[in-house]
């Protein structure tokens, strides 16, 4: 079984459309996490920053940007990027450094300031970049891919527009009790169904917004944590898996899947492998989970995740939703934070925010959205270009 | 009479500019026989990795794997019509290649009538045009039953 590291402190800057520098959100989140951990900034030996690609050069060197803003201390840094899974990569770099014995105390920070509307590719004419070409040749925005997955789910498993809408209804209720959520309003089924179609079958309220926000965690060795608290949450495993060849599910930003004509598709599809790798590393299974945070870029994708993380068999996710199992008070609450439905996406902060939520839940500090007696939680995420991420936290 | 605009591929070398028999152009590894679209310089099969690939035309027909109808104009570099006209995008499984390929659906097709697995075929159509040229791309079209 893999050794864990302690999550000694967590902190967030509320999600919104604040329009300020991402550095402000990151510093606010970092200060909150340091205070929560009960340590000083100058105690931090290593800083891992999750990069943002929409905020100029400071965003590409996020680790140093945050370290400079907090005040240079000579700490070592790393900056990582893995699309939507960026935060998990930053967490994993810090974790690996601690497990290798290279440091005891690491700070992980991610923050973003986002433009209005659809995410667009980075600027300039780049006819060899598939992320540029998919917009140019297909008009394939991210919601176009989400729409393809959602339609496929309806056709193969009988999911309905109402099922998708009920995911939003559930997550919006969860988000009511989260002071860091951007949207804190209970959404009704009728409101989702009355919102305009963006990429059929998905409507505006089925698709997550883009948000500003910041999240940070203080990770430490278990020995260091024991000197500060008797009962720290442990980050038991991190998965940053990539697909296995051939990947037969169309992946953003690609034009085609791999061909499975010569080499058969792997037994475990990519998205199923993401959480599985973390379970295997920690010696647990989906039946041991008390809660899950999953990446609901669309409502339909949340249903896919139920199956990908093993809490439902293929085709049975709708049943889990309909019978209330994944709502607060149910057998396995999913997205008690309110999920992306309540937050919108602040890319490099999002996986870190997921770990913040797991930590609050496992400590019993989640207030009105508390999953009673939670001992084990998973957070999963997928970034384009084949980035899987799963974080497993326990107490 | 106005002269017809020049028709040019919106992307070079991805498809055969043949209105009657259009084909996507991929490559196939001469060692392990795996096909790729778009073209690759190296075989991506981790058990192969050869660099000896030959250009091949992909199957023109396939089965509808999924579809969506996009109702809002994408940001640049997409060149949107003004006013914007919604379009559908189809994911089509090429059975011989066991590969799903995306493409816009030609205008005038009602996506609400699509059925999973129905036969689709590749055609060439205008992606956008400027004063002098029409820029051509591949699109999917349902095969008449």
């Amino acid at each position: 079984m893999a050794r864990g590291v302690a999550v000694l402190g967590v902190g967030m800057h509320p999600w919104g459309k604040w329009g300020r520098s991402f550095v402000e959100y990151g510093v606010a989140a970092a200060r909150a996490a340091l205070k929560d951990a009960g340590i000083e900034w100058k105690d931090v030996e290593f800083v891992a920053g999750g990069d943002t690609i929409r905020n100029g050069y400071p965003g590409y060197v996020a680790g140093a940007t945050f370290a400079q803003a907090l005040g240079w201390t000579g700490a070592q840094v790393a900056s990582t990027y893995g699309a939507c899974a960026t935060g998990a990569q930053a967490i994993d770099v810090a974790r690996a450094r601690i497990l290798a014995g290279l440091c005891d105390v690491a700070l992980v920070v991610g923050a973003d300031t986002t433009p209005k509307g659809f995410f667009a590719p980075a600027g300039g004419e780049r006819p060899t970049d598939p992320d540029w070409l998919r917009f140019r040749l297909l008009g394939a925005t991210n919601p176009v891919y989400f729409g393809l997955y959602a339609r496929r789910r309806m056709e193969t498993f009988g999911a309905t527009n109402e099922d998708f809408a009920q995911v939003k209804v559930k997550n919006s209720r969860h988000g009511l009790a989260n002071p860091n959520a951007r949207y804190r309003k209970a959404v009704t089924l009728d409101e989702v169904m009355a919102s305009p179609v963006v990429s059929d079958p998905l409507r505006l309220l089925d698709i997550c917004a883009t948000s500003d926000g910041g999240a940070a965690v203080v990770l430490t060795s278990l020995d260091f944590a024991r000197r500060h608290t008797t009962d720290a949450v442990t980050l038991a495993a991190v998965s940053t898996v990539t697909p296995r060849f051939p990947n037969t599910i169309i992946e953003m930003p690609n034009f085609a899947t791999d061909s499975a004509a010569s080499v058969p598709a792997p037994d475990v599809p990519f998205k199923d492998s993401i959480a599985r790798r973390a379970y295997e590393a920690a010696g647990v299974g989906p039946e041991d989970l008390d809660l899950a945070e999953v990446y609901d870029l669309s409502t339909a994708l949340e249903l896919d995740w139920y199956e990908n993380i093993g809490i439902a068999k293929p085709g049975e996710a709708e049943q889990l939703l309909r019978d209330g199992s994944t709502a607060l008070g149910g057998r396995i609450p999913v997205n008690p934070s309110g999920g992306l439905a309540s937050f919108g996406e602040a890319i490099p902060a999002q996986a870190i925010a997921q770990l913040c939520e797991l930590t609050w839940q496992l400590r019993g500090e989640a207030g009105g959205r508390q999953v009673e007696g939670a001992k084990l939680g998973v957070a999963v995420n997928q970034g384009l270009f084949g980035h899987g991420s799963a974080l497993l936290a326990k107490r | 009479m106005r002269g017809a605009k020049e028709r040019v591929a919106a992307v070079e070398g991805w498809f055969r500019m043949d209105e009657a028999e259009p084909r996507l152009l991929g490559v196939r590894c001469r060692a392990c026989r795996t096909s790729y679209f778009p073209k690759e310089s190296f075989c991506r099969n981790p058990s192969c990795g050869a660099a000896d690939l030959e250009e091949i035309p992909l199957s023109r027909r396939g089965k509808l794997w999924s579809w969506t109808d996009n109702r809002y104009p994408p940001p640049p570099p997409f060149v949107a019509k003004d006013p914007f006209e919604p379009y559908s995008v189809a994911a089509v499984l090429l059975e011989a290649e066991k590969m799903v390929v995306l493409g816009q659906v030609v205008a005038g097709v009602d996506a609400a009538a699509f059925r999973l697995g129905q036969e689709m075929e590749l055609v060439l159509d205008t992606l956008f045009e400027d004063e002098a040229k029409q820029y051509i791309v591949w699109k999917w079209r349902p095969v008449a039953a």
Side-chain angles (χ1 to χ4, degrees):
Chain A
M1 194 186 293
R3 289 173 298 153
V5 299
V7 187
L8 196 62
V10 296
M12 289 169 64
H13 180 287
W15 265 226
K17 210 73 174 177
W18 311 114
R20 301 198 304 271
S21 163
F22 76 99
V23 184
E24 273 188 50
Y25 316 140
V27 167
R31 291 219 163 101
L34 290 165
K35 186 177 174 201
D36 185 51
I39 64 167
E40 300 292 324
W41 156 238
K42 58 181 172 11
D43 298 330
V44 171
E45 299 161 282
F46 180 74
V47 182
D51 289 350
T52 166
I53 61 169
R54 292 182 175 80
N55 292 279
Y57 217 127
Y60 303 136
V61 291
T65 296
F66 295 130
Q68 183 183 34
L70 287 159
W72 292 126
T73 61
Q76 303 201 60
V77 297
S79 300
T80 63
Y81 191 70
C84 299
T86 292
Q89 306 241 324
I91 286 168
D92 199 37
V93 170
R95 163 183 170 266
R97 219 171 159 95
I98 293 166
L99 290 177
L102 297 174
C103 72
D104 278 315
V105 183
L107 174 69
V108 184
V109 191
D112 208 1
T113 301
T114 53
K116 194 173 181 298
F118 287 123
F119 276 131
E125 187 104 347
R126 289 189 322 285
T128 58
D129 173 353
D131 196 47
W132 188 89
L133 283 165
R134 60 146 167 159
F135 281 90
R136 179 68 156 200
L137 300 178
L138 297 177
T141 59
N142 292 0
V144 160
Y145 287 82
F146 306 155
L148 292 171
Y149 302 140
R151 173 59 61 185
R152 178 79 185 169
R153 183 156 192 97
M154 293 174 91
E155 296 294 320
T156 48
F157 295 139
T160 65
N161 289 100
E162 286 78 8
D163 289 326
F164 300 156
Q166 290 291 7
V167 172
K168 176 72 172 190
V169 171
K170 170 183 74 74
N171 287 346
S172 74
R173 283 189 192 138
H174 291 178
L176 287 175
N178 195 334
N180 290 308
R182 174 176 172 192
Y183 304 104
R184 297 181 68 191
K185 176 182 173 297
V187 174
T188 66
L189 181 67
D190 288 346
E191 285 171 321
V192 183
M193 299 299 284
S195 67
V197 172
V198 174
S199 292
D200 174 77
L202 298 175
R203 297 170 183 278
L204 186 63
L205 293 183
D206 285 306
I207 297 167
C208 93
T210 64
S211 289
D212 297 1
V217 295
V218 174
L219 301 181
T220 73
S221 63
L222 295 177
D223 284 344
F224 183 92
R226 266 183 224 111
R227 295 197 292 272
H228 285 74
T229 174
T230 53
D231 200 13
V233 167
T234 303
L235 178 60
V238 177
S239 158
T240 58
V241 291
T242 50
R244 288 174 192 271
F245 183 87
N247 186 8
T248 58
I249 302 295
I250 188 76
E251 188 94 35
M252 286 193 291
N254 296 340
F255 285 82
T257 63
D258 293 335
S259 164
S262 298
V263 181
D267 294 338
V268 181
F270 173 46
K271 282 189 70 179
D272 290 3
S273 73
I274 295 172
R276 186 181 292 215
R277 175 64 72 87
Y279 299 150
E280 287 169 358
V284 300
E287 65 282 0
D288 300 317
L289 295 172
D290 298 305
L291 75 148
E293 285 282 313
V294 307
Y295 219 54
D296 56 324
L297 291 163
S298 82
T299 52
L301 277 168
E302 173 164 321
L303 296 170
D304 288 345
W305 279 117
Y306 294 1
E307 297 159 9
N308 301 139
I309 67 172
I311 61 171
K313 294 195 177 72
E316 295 182 358
E318 286 73 16
Q319 191 49 47
L320 217 59
L321 175 77
R322 291 171 193 157
D323 70 20
S325 296
T326 56
L328 275 170
R331 181 169 59 78
I332 170 77
V334 175
N335 284 333
S337 69
L340 293 175
S342 300
F343 276 76
E345 190 184 20
I347 294 176
Q350 217 66 49
I352 302 169
Q354 287 181 318
L355 183 55
C356 292
E357 178 67 12
L358 292 183
T359 302
W360 282 316
Q361 289 286 350
L362 297 178
R363 287 176 179 171
E365 295 176 355
R369 61 183 197 283
Q370 181 65 45
V371 176
E372 289 308 319
K375 299 283 183 205
L376 183 72
V378 73
V380 287
N381 177 316
Q382 182 186 6
L384 83 175
F385 285 99
H387 288 97
S389 105
L391 309 172
L392 200 60
K394 69 175 185 185
R395 194 172 191 188
Chain B
M1 202 180 93
R2 272 189 351 189
K5 287 183 185 175
E6 187 188 356
R7 290 166 68 80
V8 296
V11 61
E12 209 51 53
W14 283 36
F15 53 90
R16 194 185 275 166
M17 275 288 276
D18 178 343
E19 306 280 344
E21 191 54 37
R23 296 295 194 95
L24 293 172
L25 297 174
V27 290
R28 183 169 56 200
C29 173
R30 284 196 170 94
C32 77
R33 313 298 291 169
T34 299
S35 303
Y36 298 94
F37 176 79
K39 295 171 187 171
E40 295 282 356
S41 307
F42 297 91
C43 182
R44 291 195 280 100
N45 172 2
S47 305
C48 180
D52 185 14
L53 298 124
E54 57 184 338
E55 183 178 286
I56 53 158
L58 301 186
S59 301
R60 187 175 174 195
R61 290 191 174 187
K63 305 281 192 202
L64 187 60
W65 187 87
S66 191
W67 64 94
T68 185
D69 195 36
N70 187 45
R71 306 285 174 85
Y72 287 87
F78 186 76
V79 182
K81 285 188 179 137
D82 187 17
F84 175 69
E85 290 174 16
Y87 53 85
S88 298
V89 173
V92 173
L93 174 65
L94 308 182
E95 291 178 292
E97 292 84 355
K98 291 192 180 172
M99 176 194 293
V100 172
V101 180
L102 301 184
Q104 278 193 14
V105 177
V106 294
V109 173
D110 179 12
F114 277 146
R115 287 168 294 104
L116 195 69
Q118 80 177 64
E119 191 158 27
M120 305 288 283
E121 74 175 356
L122 195 83
V123 295
L124 298 186
D125 196 11
T126 303
L127 178 64
F128 64 95
E129 49 192 291
D130 58 23
E131 293 296 302
K133 292 175 184 172
Q134 287 182 324
Y135 297 84
I136 306 301
V137 77
W138 77 92
K139 291 187 185 178
W140 293 112
R141 177 176 73 189
V143 175

